[in-house]
Amino acid sequence: DIASGATILPAGTRIRAQEMGLAASVGLATLPVLRRLRVAVFFTGDELAMPGEALKPGAIYNSNRFLLTGLLQNLGCLVTDYGIVPDSLEATRSTLRLAAQEHDLIITSGGVSVGEEDYIKPAVEAEGRLNMWQIAVKPGKPLAFGEIERANKSGDEQAFFLGLPGNPVSSFVTFLLFVRPFILAMQGVPRDSLASPQAYAMRADFAWSKPDRRNEFLRARINADGGLDLFANQSSGVLTSTVWGDGLIDLPPGQVIAAGDMVKFIPFSHLMN
C-alpha cells in the first residue's frame, strides 16, 4: 500500500477520520499539528435583536451571529462571540482592542458601508490599518480587510481583521469566497490549492438579462434534468436562497445568460468543509 519513505500526509493536510486511520495504520501515535485558530466575532447595529426577543419597530433578528459562528466552527476554529456592539465609534474601537489581545482573527458583520452609523472603517483605521475596503462582487461589495494592533507586543503584534457586510446573503457569500480560504491559509493549507474554488460547467435552464458591473454570484439549484434553476429573488437579504440552493453561479461582469447556456457552478459542498 505504501512505499518505504513515502509521504502519506503532507504539511497542510486537514485531519479527518480517514487521515487518522491512515496515520494509525503505519504506527504513528502522534502527529505534529497547528493549534486551532482563535477567532473573535461581533455584530454591529442598534437595530439587531436576538431570536426570542420581541422585535421593536425597525428591528431585525441577528441571523448572522448563528450563520458565521456555525461556519467558523465547521472550520475547526475556536470562536469567541462578543455579541452585538452598539453603534458608536468608541464601543467599536473598544471591542476591537479587546478582541485583538487574545485572537488571531477578528470578524465583524455590519457597519462597513458608508452610512452615518457605520463605524467599522474609522474604528479599524484608528486601531490599526485598513488594507482593503470594497470589492467588485455582488452580493458583498462592502468587504474590509486590515489589521488591529495589540497593546501587548509579546508574540505577533497584530490580529487580522475581516469586516463582512450586514446583509445575510452578502455575509454568507463573502465568507465562503474570501474568509474561508484566508482561514485555511492561516491553518497551514498550501496557498496554491486555494487559488479558486472548483467550478463545473452546467446548463442554465433559465434566462438572466440583468448584467451587473460586478462579478455576480447567483444562488441556484440542480434540477431533475441535470440543469440549473435560479432562485427567483436574488436580493442580498433573502437568506432563503442559501437554504434552497445547491451552490453559486459565478457570473462575470456584464454577462447575460440565455436558457441553454453553459455557466460556471460552484457547489456549496465545495465551499463549506
Side-chain angles (χ1 to χ4, degrees), residues 5-29:
T7 298
I8 59 168
L9 296 172
T13 299
R14 188 176 183 184
I15 304 301
R16 304 168 297 173
Q18 51 266 54
E19 281 80 14
M20 287 192 287
L22 180 59
S25 76
V26 297
L28 291 174

Side-chain angles (χ1 to χ4, degrees), residues 119-158:
Y119 294 105
I120 289 293
K121 186 174 183 282
V124 172
E125 291 172 329
E127 298 296 331
R129 290 173 297 281
L130 189 66
N131 300 321
M132 183 194 75
W133 182 57
Q134 296 190 342
I135 55 174
V137 165
K138 182 181 180 181
K141 178 181 176 181
L143 178 70
F145 172 73
E147 301 159 56
I148 306 300
E149 297 289 346
R150 290 195 175 108
N152 178 5
K153 297 297 184 180
S154 60
D156 294 333
E157 295 187 352
Q158 68 280 319

Side-chain angles (χ1 to χ4, degrees), residues 100-271:
Q101 299 312 307
E102 302 293 337
H103 298 89
D104 308 296
L105 174 64
I106 303 167
I107 296 176
T108 63
S109 171
V112 289
S113 296
V114 291
E116 291 182 1
E117 300 298 325
D118 292 325
Y119 294 105
I120 289 293
K121 186 174 183 282
V124 172
E125 291 172 329
E127 298 296 331
R129 290 173 297 281
L130 189 66
N131 300 321
M132 183 194 75
W133 182 57
Q134 296 190 342
I135 55 174
V137 165
K138 182 181 180 181
K141 178 181 176 181
L143 178 70
F145 172 73
E147 301 159 56
I148 306 300
E149 297 289 346
R150 290 195 175 108
N152 178 5
K153 297 297 184 180
S154 60
D156 294 333
E157 295 187 352
Q158 68 280 319
F160 288 109
F161 165 81
L162 279 160
L164 306 187
N167 280 328
V169 178
S170 299
S171 190
F172 179 68
V173 170
T174 51
F175 186 98
L176 296 182
L177 297 177
F178 299 98
V179 180
R180 175 182 172 272
F182 184 77
I183 286 175
L184 292 176
M186 292 184 74
Q187 291 174 333
V189 176
R191 295 191 181 189
D192 56 2
S193 66
L194 300 173
S196 59
Q198 186 175 1
Y200 300 90
M202 295 192 67
R203 185 188 71 249
D205 289 345
F206 62 90
W208 181 257
S209 58
K210 301 178 286 185
D212 196 90
R213 294 181 300 170
R214 291 171 284 168
N215 195 148
E216 293 190 81
F217 290 89
L218 308 173
R219 278 77 70 203
R221 182 166 71 180
I222 302 171
N223 59 39
D225 297 322
L228 295 174
D229 292 331
L230 193 69
F231 193 76
N233 188 343
Q234 291 289 318
S235 168
S236 59
V238 182
L239 202 53
T240 316
S241 64
T242 65
V243 177
W244 177 91
D246 294 319
L248 302 171
I249 293 173
D250 182 354
L251 185 64
Q255 184 169 313
V256 299
I257 300 173
D261 286 351
M262 301 300 288
V263 296
K264 290 172 62 177
F265 181 71
I266 309 170
F268 285 143
S269 59
H270 288 18
L271 296 169

